Amino acid sequence: MAQSGFSINPTRSEQLLFLTDDQLRQGIELMFFAYREFTADPDRILDARGYGRAHHRAVHFINRRSGLTVNELLDILGVTKQSLNRVLRQLVEDGLVESRVGAVDRRQRNLRLTEAGRALEHELSAAQRRRMRAAFSLAGPEAVHGFRTVLEAMIDPETRERVLGALERER
């Protein structure tokens, strides 16, 4: 394995979580390269269909929370209504997403994946699950727990509880 600024046997300062700017920069670069590889397989699948990462995010969250409203998806993704409408319109026209009038509030639109949408989501997530499973197996359970802790801590405090609550409800 390549030598990095992060030691297998942490120094006293690393144990106290005092990291140098160089170590933090290395962490940022590792995150960049990991994200690039994490998205590479789905990007190839999406590109073949004329879709991008915005389509992937929409399909992912519609699958995870079938029946969610357009406003709920806007909140999750943190994008503008205009950009989401462009993505949703294409997914609906291509038969991957259904938009139904809300049962309680007819002004709402509830979103669900069609069978074709579920197949695409499965193909996209299978590629990412394979990569994560291999990395987690290599790293071991303590590293996996630490990684999750770091990811949770990187989420802004005002949204962290909402995100973690949603993950817990999906179990």
Side-chain angles (χ1 to χ4, degrees), residues 38 122 125-141 144 147:
F38 179 71
H122 181 76
S125 65
Q128 291 182 312
R129 284 192 313 270
R130 277 191 303 273
R131 184 174 295 275
M132 289 202 68
R133 185 173 290 114
F136 284 168
S137 293
L138 181 67
V144 172
F147 180 68

Side-chain angles (χ1 to χ4, degrees), residues 24 32-33 36 43 60 62 71 73 89 92 94 97 105 111 116-117 123 134 144 149 159 170:
L24 292 171
F32 169 79
F33 289 115
R36 182 184 71 182
D43 282 351
H60 172 84
I62 293 169
N71 283 336
L73 186 57
R89 187 176 327 108
V92 168
D94 292 349
V97 171
D105 185 343
L111 304 171
E123 184 180 5
V144 172
T149 301
T159 58
E170 291 171 4

Side-chain angles (χ1 to χ4, degrees), residues 59 63 95-97 113-122:
V59 166
N63 181 66
L96 300 172
V97 171
L113 293 183
T114 63
E115 187 173 325
R118 286 189 298 278
L120 174 62
E121 191 286 328
H122 181 76

